[in-house]
Amino acid sequence: MLPLIAATLMAVALPLRAEERRGNARVVVLMVWDGLRPDFVTQRDTPNLFAMARDGVRFDRHHSIYPTLTMVNAAALATGGPPALNGIYGDAMDFAPELAGRGAPAPGDANLKAAIAGPVDIEDSELLAALNGAGAFAGRFLGLDTVGQEVERDGGYLAVIGKRGPTLLFDDRVAAITDGHDSLLQPHKNYLFVADDMAEPPSEGAQLLAALPARNATGVSDRERDAYFARLVAEKALPAAKLAADAGHPALVVFWQHNPDITQHRAGLGTLPAIEALGECDTHLGTIRAALNGLGVANRSDLIVVSDHGFATIQISIALDAQLVAAGLKKSRESSDVVVAANGGSDLIYLSRTDFPTVEARHDILQKIVNFAEAQEWCGPIFSREAALPDARGRAQKPYLGWIDGTFAQSAVGLFNTARSPDLVLSFREMPDLDNKAFTGPLKPAFVIGSGGQRSVPNKSQELVRPVKGTVYADAGDRFTAGMGMHGAAGTREIHNFCAAAGPDFRRAFVDRNPTSNSDVAPTITQVLGLLPNVGPNGVYPSGRAMTEALSGGKQFVGAAHAFTMKSELMLQGVEVIGTLRATRLGDRVYLDDAALDRKPLGNSP
């Protein structure tokens, strides 16, 4: 029997012995290119990043965390843990069930009132601060501390700059500071936080926000904002980081760009603005490396460039909630009996415990939803909250199967969290080898599948310059149409993302062919800075590993990587639906590589 992925999530990483810890007078810069696919890094389009990956370490088998969404992977990058431990499942989530027992929010707290009312978009600093405040999760919105908070507690310097939402997850107590301490009375002094919608410390936050350029949605989206953030990194954060390192303290600078993600969303992959966005990001990398050299700290600074997820092109847009209503599985699009939190390539489905008070009632409606979805061409693998029960004869099921027929257990991919798991996580179907020539461009046809079936809509994407492989069905709302970019699903184009590193603590001209993931980044930073490993509130260590094989003088990872598959089956009328998860095991860690759902007519079907 194959070992459970879930079993690896709780593996304990013992603290490093003192002689194994690296000196803490280091500067680490973590630069996130939001939505960068590894095949988009070329000498032509991204010469600075191409050279850095060639001269330093290129992680050839790097993985995004599923669901392949920004906030999910921001939490993984910040904590080293998967959703099962940090509790972040999407960019849109429904906290109403979890907040219901915490009483009414304070008068005037619009953010918490919205969160209690249903799904909310958590790419919002003010909302995240409210959720982490005394009226909600009281400093424990994330189930784990972050690597940034570890740096602060060690007396170091922390700067987090860039796109709103993911930035706050690196320092989710930034808006709850009193007398230099956070809401849990931890030190919070030598820091800088600047996002689109919030800036700290209070002494200079207003001035930093006032200088923020206006947003733009034409050409390279948010071009000026990313350039402004890059200048803050080079001219403000890095000099402060140098001072900390000079004093023998660790320093961490996180820079999260809007691009290429936002431009790929709006213009489409392979369009001129999307290609130009890559060049803009590459220019900012050059700015940061030049600043490190100019400050004289390049020889004690490590630079990690990573993306949060990959990308694909929308083939057809899906309105899942409307289809459930039309199928009689949800009362109305606004009803709370079945709540759908749409997240592009994956949706989170929550059931009301009032409308479905018993286990039997919940199982019945969930099985109907799964049967309906998996009969559709747009559906990919689905993940149940609970694992499979013994069969009618009392025999144990395969441990990776979900308790709803045709699904996988959320624990099989690091998703199960007792307090916060949705009832179902539905991944839409990705076609990794289909290119976007038929979909991207304002004159290409675009369709939405909703309650009334398929209807035509104007195509909002721009002219295609270079065809790009990888398309996906997506619950994209009214903002995105066929031809535009999307992510969130469990397909290979979205799961496989980019990572490279360079600096004195990393090997030179090295290609790491071991599987790695975004959960491995924080433990690696922890080791480089000589910090103690991150521990959660219940004494739980996160699931990520330090990528020691990539460190200069580090220990080569012992053991070979082994690929394996997991399969689910569902029999519908005349059709067998087969779900497949492909994964790789390295030691006690498991990395999800790809997922698919295939439909085969039964041999005896009419």
Side-chain angles (χ1 to χ4, degrees), residues 180-201:
H181 292 79
D182 65 21
S183 55
L184 297 181
L185 301 181
Q186 298 292 341
H188 200 297
K189 296 179 180 179
N190 195 14
Y191 75 100
L192 175 67
F193 179 87
V194 186
D196 299 281
D197 55 352
M198 182 185 290
E200 300 275 356

Side-chain angles (χ1 to χ4, degrees), residues 228-254:
Y228 172 70
F229 289 142
R231 289 195 300 273
L232 282 182
V233 171
E235 299 170 9
K236 192 171 185 65
L238 290 180
K242 177 183 184 298
L243 290 177
D246 287 346
H249 300 294
L252 173 63
V253 177
V254 179

Side-chain angles (χ1 to χ4, degrees), residues 9-269:
L9 297 176
M10 308 303 290
V12 175
L14 296 176
L16 298 172
R17 296 191 302 271
E19 63 268 22
E20 293 177 318
R21 296 177 64 191
R22 292 171 179 265
N24 63 357
R26 286 286 195 234
V27 175
V28 172
V29 179
L30 177 63
M31 184 183 190
V32 183
W33 294 33
D34 201 309
L36 176 66
R37 277 177 40 162
D39 53 330
F40 290 176
V41 178
T42 65
Q43 193 164 17
R44 173 178 57 181
D45 294 329
T46 58
N48 288 320
L49 184 54
F50 183 85
M52 174 190 156
R54 179 196 61 207
D55 298 339
V57 176
R58 188 181 77 237
F59 297 93
D60 246 15
R61 300 178 64 191
H62 200 69
H63 296 69
S64 178
I65 301 301
Y66 177 74
T68 52
L69 298 160
T70 294
M71 297 302 283
V72 173
N73 282 276
L77 287 165
T79 67
L85 297 182
N86 62 48
I88 304 302
Y89 284 81
D91 295 343
M93 293 178 62
D94 186 12
F95 297 98
E98 200 178 357
L99 291 172
R102 296 177 179 264
D109 196 336
N111 283 306
L112 288 186
K113 287 182 178 178
I116 289 175
V120 287
D121 180 0
I122 62 173
E123 289 191 86
D124 183 304
S125 300
E126 296 288 350
L127 172 63
L128 289 172
L131 287 169
N132 200 45
F137 297 111
R140 284 300 180 190
F141 174 66
L142 286 176
L144 295 167
D145 287 343
T146 72
V147 65
Q149 291 158 358
E150 294 174 60
V151 168
E152 290 180 287
R153 283 198 286 273
D154 205 58
Y157 173 76
L158 174 66
V160 186
I161 296 170
K163 179 181 176 179
R164 74 175 190 174
T167 41
L168 200 83
L169 292 188
F170 283 85
D171 196 6
D172 62 354
R173 302 167 199 169
V174 71
I177 310 306
T178 304
D179 298 327
H181 292 79
D182 65 21
S183 55
L184 297 181
L185 301 181
Q186 298 292 341
H188 200 297
K189 296 179 180 179
N190 195 14
Y191 75 100
L192 175 67
F193 179 87
V194 186
D196 299 281
D197 55 352
M198 182 185 290
E200 300 275 356
S203 59
E204 52 187 328
Q207 179 182 354
L208 293 170
L209 280 182
L212 187 67
R215 306 205 71 162
N216 73 284
T218 59
V220 177
S221 300
D222 292 327
R223 181 199 304 256
E224 290 78 15
R225 285 205 169 183
D226 278 350
Y228 172 70
F229 289 142
R231 289 195 300 273
L232 282 182
V233 171
E235 299 170 9
K236 192 171 185 65
L238 290 180
K242 177 183 184 298
L243 290 177
D246 287 346
H249 300 294
L252 173 63
V253 177
V254 179
F255 174 28
W256 197 298
Q257 303 182 106
H258 297 87
N259 279 302
D261 175 273
I262 187 63
T263 303
Q264 293 176 163
H265 272 304
R266 290 174 173 167
L269 302 177

